[in-house]
Amino acid sequence: MKKILLICSCILSPFFNYSQNIELSLQQDARLLFIGDGKNNSAITLNILTKVEIPVIKLKNNYIAVYPSIEYADLTGGNFQRYAIGGSYHVNTIYRNIGATAFIDIGNIYRKNRSFLSYSMTGELSYTINNWIQLIGSQQITQRKDLKTLYNSKKEFLISGFFGVKLSL
């Protein structure tokens, strides 16, 4: 884990000098919070996704960003960790205070002392409250080789819905 964070910080550190309004998001999986997943993970199961979005190309009402992300879930069969790096395209305003973002990333899932290459795509809607805080909801599809390998699942992709906040730093 330390190696991944060091590599991500080395890759992303040059962008901190050129960007403004770095955004930090903190989100919780809605299904695992409210109803569980029907696989021994009851309601109020922790599944946190966080991203640090660093704008690299600014346009009039849009921008392109790079980001590292970390997802951690405290599941009954052992914890789930996913570390990724990706890019995103942000539209600041699609209607009044509502914005939209498309994300794509690649990373590793760590589960039961094994590592699995994984990629994901995410769509996010945001509602801007003020200059430094937004409410966000996102839909994510993630490649899950860990489920196929460890649990003989026929599903290679998993769709998750998250909600949370995004802070401008």
Side-chain angles (χ1 to χ4, degrees):
M1 180 166 110
K2 291 179 185 178
K3 288 180 186 178
I4 292 171
L5 293 176
L6 177 62
I7 291 169
C8 286
S9 65
C10 288
I11 291 171
L12 296 175
S13 64
F15 295 115
F16 283 100
N17 294 331
Y18 299 107
S19 64
Q20 300 173 2
N21 297 333
I22 294 170
E23 295 180 322
L24 171 68
S25 66
L26 183 62
Q27 304 174 60
Q28 165 67 38
D29 184 297
R31 179 177 49 203
L32 285 175
L33 180 65
F34 295 116
I35 61 174
D37 65 359
K39 299 173 187 160
N40 297 325
N41 295 298
S42 61
I44 312 177
T45 297
L46 181 69
N47 184 1
I48 299 292
L49 172 64
T50 186
K51 296 177 184 171
V52 178
E53 299 167 42
I54 305 159
V56 291
I57 299 173
K58 294 186 181 187
L59 307 167
K60 184 177 180 181
N61 189 39
N62 312 326
Y63 63 94
I64 296 170
V66 295
Y67 65 92
S69 70
I70 299 171
E71 183 177 354
Y72 174 84
D74 189 18
L75 304 175
T76 56
N79 68 36
F80 167 92
Q81 299 172 45
R82 183 173 187 273
Y83 301 91
I85 187 164
S88 60
Y89 181 75
H90 296 254
V91 178
N92 292 331
T93 306
I94 58 173
Y95 180 76
R96 297 190 184 181
N97 290 359
I98 298 173
T101 306
F103 298 89
I104 188 164
D105 64 40
I106 187 165
N108 275 328
I109 292 172
Y110 296 94
R111 197 161 187 195
K112 294 195 175 195
N113 297 321
R114 304 232 357 231
S115 172
F116 304 90
L117 186 64
S118 169
Y119 62 89
S120 76
M121 295 180 287
T122 306
E124 177 182 279
L125 290 176
S126 60
Y127 179 80
T128 301
I129 295 175
N130 57 36
N131 290 338
W132 61 274
I133 192 166
Q134 300 172 41
L135 299 177
I136 56 176
S138 62
Q139 192 77 39
Q140 173 182 281
I141 184 166
T142 306
Q143 180 188 29
R144 296 290 303 272
K145 289 182 182 177
D146 62 313
L147 295 177
K148 287 186 83 168
T149 303
L150 298 174
Y151 302 105
N152 296 321
S153 174
K154 293 181 182 175
K155 293 184 179 182
E156 185 174 351
F157 295 92
L158 188 66
I159 297 174
S160 302
F162 291 86
F163 70 96
V165 296
K166 186 180 288 188
L167 306 172
S168 293
L169 307 176

